[in-house]
Amino acid sequence: MSDARQWFALPSPFRMKRGGELVGARLAYETWGAPSATRDNALLVLTGLSPSAHAASNAQDPSPGWWEEMIGPGKYIDTNRWFVICVNTLGSCKGSTGPADVNPATGEAYRLDFPELTLEDAANAAFELVRSLGIARLDCLLGNSMGGMTALAYLAQHPGSARRHISISTAPQAQPFAIAIRSLQREAIRLDPNWNQGRYDDEHYPEAGMSIARKLGVITYRSAMEWVGRFARIRLQADQRDDDPFGFEFQVESYLAGHARRFVRGFDPNSYLYLSRASDWFDLAEHAAAPGPGSVESVLKRLDVERALVIGVETDILFPLSQQEQIADGLRAGGTEVEFVALDSPQGHDAFLVDIARFGAAIAGFLDR
Amino acid sequence: MSDARQWFALPSPFRMKRGGELVGARLAYETWGAPSATRDNALLVLTGLSPSAHAASNAQDPSPGWWEEMIGPGKYIDTNRWFVICVNTLGSCKGSTGPADVNPATGEAYRLDFPELTLEDAANAAFELVRSLGIARLDCLLGNSMGGMTALAYLAQHPGSARRHISISTAPQAQPFAIAIRSLQREAIRLDPNWNQGRYDDEHYPEAGMSIARKLGVITYRSAMEWVGRFARIRLQADQRDDDPFGFEFQVESYLAGHARRFVRGFDPNSYLYLSRASDWFDLAEHAAAPGPGSVESVLKRLDVERALVIGVETDILFPLSQQEQIADGLRAGGTEVEFVALDSPQGHDAFLVDIARFGAAIAGFLDR
């Protein structure tokens, strides 16, 4: 199987925000385009919870990436011009060190012995990667969804480390509705007897819990409005149904089942728990300079970004537009020149993966200026 | 324990819309106030999925009901004036016959042998009750949430049977977002090994599945906006937490846990499945007079209601305002004089249970006119 991943050995031990450390850990990442002589054309992409570093096809791996239409030669993020880096989040399971990897101290998989993970740790790991590539300052740091929170953690810990910032459908701190959803996803996994305190294997795998978690994710990533147009009340054909009295009957149910089926065995359940909890923990206000309880605003003010593009979607119920406005306003108060774009895409939180024409136009326009 | 329930023996056999019949079935109901000499002052309340018939306290049962502040002498629905009836939905588990009751044909609980239940059946059962009370025509038929759908089914099957109608936070047909949520709630129960195809008992009870279902319910019954103000990122005290690495940490999580705890053993899981599926099945368009696929609008036009009050809430994600508008417009097209009230209550779908001042004012004003 072709693989475009490159590997970066993190400084060892790599110390974590809440205590604990990783020995011999690494990041998986991919790149597109080439660095300029002065390495001033780098654009780092930080991802949502589940994507790999394979954001787009490249020579080493021609399979389509998760942002295939966005990144490439002549595309919205034009790799003839930008040196694009996408990193698999620390703690994930797509090449970067996570709970499914071997703990060198024991020779066994970490599982729940993986240290407590925060988005600040994920950001610091990405920062070390960028430094190792000889890039003094990113031209642009782009993050969407969980990756947008990671990007804010990156800038809060390393102010001035990016000239520009693109923030997409994210949050400066986790709000209770999103916490409630994620907590319930984690609970579904933890209640699955096969989860077994993280000690599952391929034969005893928390399939049911992961399926519920993923379906709940998909429900909150899209919007009711989109589904009225897309699924209405269309029923499954008789031959697509089983005879379970409470089995699936509507197309929307089999759509969710398809999403779950593709995800359940493709993502490590313990990784999911760690990254989900890290999202709940995220609160930019913790980076306030003064002792005592700080505010999100006070931190946004000091990220030292020249220009920013903040994009949100009106139908996003998980990362509501009000949170994007908060980010835009906070950056502006710190002197950043901010473009704020509110899109009425019907696809909710996932719009950045689907409504490429509108997101792409906003991003390309911003990068061009 | 005091009990204000009265019992109505349904005509036997009671035939169901999708086939099957119930023998010796009954409804539990409660009443407040007194019928006028001509019995022209009756107001029937049809409930959401889980409430009992105990909408308010009365002499026989002084415990507060689920709409305590709304119904009573001198209250918004003034029982000095109206003869109020609230019925426990057919198929529920609060006195009316449902899957937990004994099937006279076998002497065992119905469980999954209960016939397929629709909201049309629930409506017809309530209609029979009203007739048995000597009420030729309701002065007002009020339904909220699932009860609003049941009310539409009532009017579609018995046009002209209510002079006035109050429709609250409901739907003329289930939309895919609501179907997706309910399907996932049912799946959580069905995946719980203790559900055991409906054959659970007190020792082996689908506690985990019911807990997930209820929490997901509560998440979708409220709104993100309300929770920002109510819970923000407030954490639990150390002594409220357990030492599970993924245990609850935020107040919003323990709020959900409290809701689940109060519900899980108080509602029959099979009843939940039947009523949830009935909600997904509901589509007023099926009552179109012409053969072939009808429209919701064509049915709303012929319900023969003189006046209607339609109330929706802007923050309701489960029964969105657009569906309340659809009901209001459809009734108006049939000659009904319609008051449409869009409230900006922050409490989402549950607002009718919480924002009593605003709902009460709208309802009392409508009843007065």
Side-chain angles (χ1 to χ4, degrees):
Chain A
M1 206 175 95
S2 56
D3 191 341
R5 285 180 296 186
Q6 303 174 60
W7 308 97
F8 166 61
L10 282 168
S12 183
F14 180 80
R15 295 192 199 288
M16 311 281 272
K17 184 188 179 203
R18 292 171 68 104
E21 58 183 36
L22 291 172
V23 173
R26 67 180 191 176
L27 290 185
Y29 68 102
E30 297 192 23
T31 67
W32 300 260
S36 62
T38 55
R39 302 196 169 235
D40 64 351
N41 67 334
L43 186 154
L44 175 65
V45 175
L46 298 175
T47 79
L49 190 149
S50 59
S52 71
H54 192 58
S57 57
N58 42 30
Q60 296 77 35
D61 180 355
S63 69
W66 59 264
W67 230 7
E68 183 67 22
E69 296 173 76
M70 188 67 82
I71 300 172
K75 295 187 182 173
Y76 298 106
I77 299 177
D78 185 352
T79 54
N80 291 325
R81 210 170 138 195
W82 309 109
F83 176 54
V84 177
I85 310 155
C86 182
V87 59
N88 180 232
T89 311
L90 183 68
S92 177
C93 54
K94 306 288 186 183
S96 294
T97 299
D101 290 305
V102 169
N103 178 355
T106 64
E108 309 268 333
Y110 282 105
R111 304 184 183 271
L112 301 197
D113 291 334
F114 198 77
E116 291 186 342
L117 177 76
T118 66
L119 297 184
E120 281 81 356
D121 303 317
N124 280 338
F127 178 80
E128 294 292 346
L129 163 66
V130 169
R131 202 155 64 164
S132 80
L133 295 171
I135 296 161
R137 188 162 77 139
L138 291 167
D139 182 68
C140 186
L141 173 59
L142 183 156
N144 43 43
S145 190
M146 187 190 83
M149 299 195 279
T150 312
L152 291 174
Y154 188 113
L155 295 167
Q157 297 178 116
H158 310 284
S161 60
R163 191 169 79 81
R164 302 192 286 183
H165 176 41
I166 300 178
S167 174
I168 297 175
S169 298
T170 189
Q173 60 182 184
Q175 281 187 344
F177 182 82
I179 291 174
I181 295 281
R182 285 190 292 253
S183 171
L184 192 52
Q185 292 173 309
R186 293 193 298 273
E187 190 170 356
I189 296 169
R190 292 162 55 220
L191 283 173
D192 188 322
N194 282 335
W195 178 62
N196 189 24
Q197 295 292 318
R199 290 183 299 273
Y200 44 84
D201 58 30
D202 281 352
E203 280 75 56
H204 306 88
Y205 189 90
E207 192 119 15
M210 284 291 280
S211 178
I212 291 173
R214 181 57 170 177
K215 288 181 177 184
L216 180 52
V218 174
I219 289 172
T220 55
Y221 297 157
R222 312 299 289 214
S223 89
M225 189 210 296
E226 181 203 19
W227 286 2
V228 169
R230 186 166 172 184
F231 301 113
R233 292 182 51 79
I234 301 172
R235 283 181 160 81
L236 296 172
Q237 306 289 324
D239 61 357
Q240 298 170 302
R241 298 180 53 184
D242 56 34
D243 47 10
D244 183 321
F246 294 97
F248 302 144
E249 188 163 347
F250 293 94
Q251 273 197 358
V252 67
E253 296 178 281
S254 84
Y255 163 83
L256 291 176
H259 267 283
R261 201 166 41 239
R262 291 189 294 278
F263 184 77
V264 160
R265 293 278 179 166
F267 204 89
D268 176 53
N270 289 334
S271 244
Y272 192 93
L273 294 175
Y274 271 85
L275 290 168
S276 167
R277 184 180 59 178
S279 296
D280 284 1
W281 279 341
F282 182 64
D283 183 359
L284 197 62
E286 291 177 0
H287 296 274
S295 73
V296 159
E297 285 69 23
S298 71
V299 182
L300 286 166
K301 253 170 99 162
R302 61 165 191 79
L303 300 185
D304 195 9
V305 173
E306 289 177 20
R307 292 179 51 224
L309 169 65
V310 180
I311 314 181
V313 175
E314 285 163 15
T315 55
D316 189 339
I317 58 173
L318 204 55
F319 293 84
L321 202 58
S322 57
Q323 292 200 290
Q324 321 314 316
E325 286 165 344
Q326 194 183 11
I327 293 170
D329 293 346
L331 288 170
R332 207 174 272 130
T336 301
E337 189 186 316
V338 176
E339 283 177 51
F340 178 66
V341 176
L343 296 176
D344 63 355
S345 314
Q347 299 93 351
H349 182 62
D350 265 0
F352 67 89
L353 296 171
V354 187
D355 193 357
I356 298 292
R358 282 200 269 188
F359 275 83
I363 290 169
F366 174 78
L367 290 175
D368 269 352
R369 273 186 283 279
Chain B
M1 206 175 99
S2 55
D3 192 339
R5 286 180 295 186
Q6 302 173 63
W7 308 97
F8 166 61
L10 283 168
S12 183
F14 180 80
R15 298 193 198 286
M16 312 281 273
K17 183 187 180 204
R18 292 172 67 105
E21 57 183 35
L22 291 172
V23 173
R26 66 179 190 175
L27 290 185
Y29 68 101
E30 297 192 22
T31 67
W32 299 261
S36 62
T38 56
R39 301 193 172 238
D40 65 349
N41 67 335
L43 186 153
L44 174 66
V45 175
L46 299 175
T47 79
L49 191 148
S50 59
S52 71
H54 191 58
S57 57
N58 41 30
Q60 296 75 33
D61 181 355
S63 68
W66 59 265
W67 230 7
E68 182 67 22
E69 296 172 75
M70 188 66 82
I71 299 172
K75 295 187 183 173
Y76 298 105
I77 298 177
D78 186 351
T79 53
N80 291 326
R81 210 169 138 194
W82 309 108
F83 176 54
V84 177
I85 309 155
C86 182
V87 60
N88 181 231
T89 313
L90 183 68
S92 176
C93 54
K94 306 289 185 182
S96 294
T97 300
D101 290 304
V102 170
N103 178 354
T106 65
E108 309 268 331
Y110 281 106
R111 302 183 185 273
L112 301 197
D113 291 335
F114 198 77
E116 292 186 343
L117 176 77
T118 66
L119 297 185
E120 281 81 357
D121 302 317
N124 280 338
F127 178 81
E128 295 292 347
L129 163 65
V130 169
R131 203 156 63 165
S132 79
L133 295 172
I135 296 161
R137 187 162 78 141
L138 290 168
D139 182 68
C140 185
L141 173 59
L142 184 155
N144 42 43
S145 191
M146 188 190 83
M149 300 195 279
T150 312
L152 292 173
Y154 188 112
L155 295 168
Q157 297 178 117
H158 310 284
S161 60
R163 190 170 79 82
R164 303 193 286 182
H165 176 40
I166 300 178
S167 173
I168 297 176
S169 298
T170 190
Q173 61 183 180
Q175 281 188 344
F177 181 82
I179 292 173
I181 294 282
R182 285 191 291 253
S183 170
L184 192 52
Q185 292 172 311
R186 293 194 298 273
E187 189 169 357
I189 296 170
R190 292 162 55 220
L191 284 173
D192 188 322
N194 282 335
W195 178 62
N196 189 25
Q197 295 293 317
R199 290 184 299 275
Y200 44 83
D201 57 31
D202 281 353
E203 280 75 55
H204 305 88
Y205 189 90
E207 191 120 17
M210 282 291 280
S211 177
I212 291 174
R214 181 57 171 179
K215 288 181 177 184
L216 181 51
V218 174
I219 289 173
T220 54
Y221 298 157
R222 313 298 291 213
S223 89
M225 189 211 294
E226 183 203 19
W227 286 2
V228 168
R230 186 165 172 185
F231 300 114
R233 292 182 51 78
I234 301 172
R235 282 179 160 81
L236 296 172
Q237 306 289 324
D239 62 357
Q240 298 170 300
R241 299 181 52 184
D242 56 35
D243 46 11
D244 183 322
F246 294 97
F248 302 144
E249 188 163 346
F250 293 94
Q251 273 197 358
V252 68
E253 295 177 282
S254 83
Y255 163 82
L256 291 176
H259 268 282
R261 201 167 40 239
R262 290 188 294 276
F263 184 76
V264 159
R265 293 278 179 167
F267 204 88
D268 176 53
N270 289 333
S271 241
Y272 192 92
L273 294 175
Y274 272 83
L275 290 167
S276 167
R277 184 180 60 177
S279 296
D280 284 2
W281 279 341
F282 182 63
D283 183 358
L284 197 62
E286 291 177 1
H287 296 274
S295 72
V296 160
E297 285 69 23
S298 71
V299 182
L300 285 166
K301 254 170 98 163
R302 61 164 192 80
L303 300 186
D304 194 10
V305 172
E306 289 177 20
R307 293 179 50 223
L309 169 65
V310 179
I311 314 182
V313 175
E314 286 164 14
T315 55
D316 189 339
I317 59 174
L318 204 55
F319 292 83
L321 202 57
S322 57
Q323 293 200 289
Q324 319 317 315
E325 286 165 346
Q326 194 182 10
I327 293 170
D329 292 347
L331 288 170
R332 207 175 272 129
T336 301
E337 188 187 317
V338 176
E339 284 176 50
F340 178 65
V341 177
L343 296 175
D344 62 354
S345 314
Q347 298 93 351
H349 181 63
D350 265 0
F352 68 89
L353 296 172
V354 187
D355 194 357
I356 298 292
R358 281 200 271 187
F359 275 82
I363 290 169
F366 174 78
L367 290 176
D368 269 351
R369 272 187 284 279

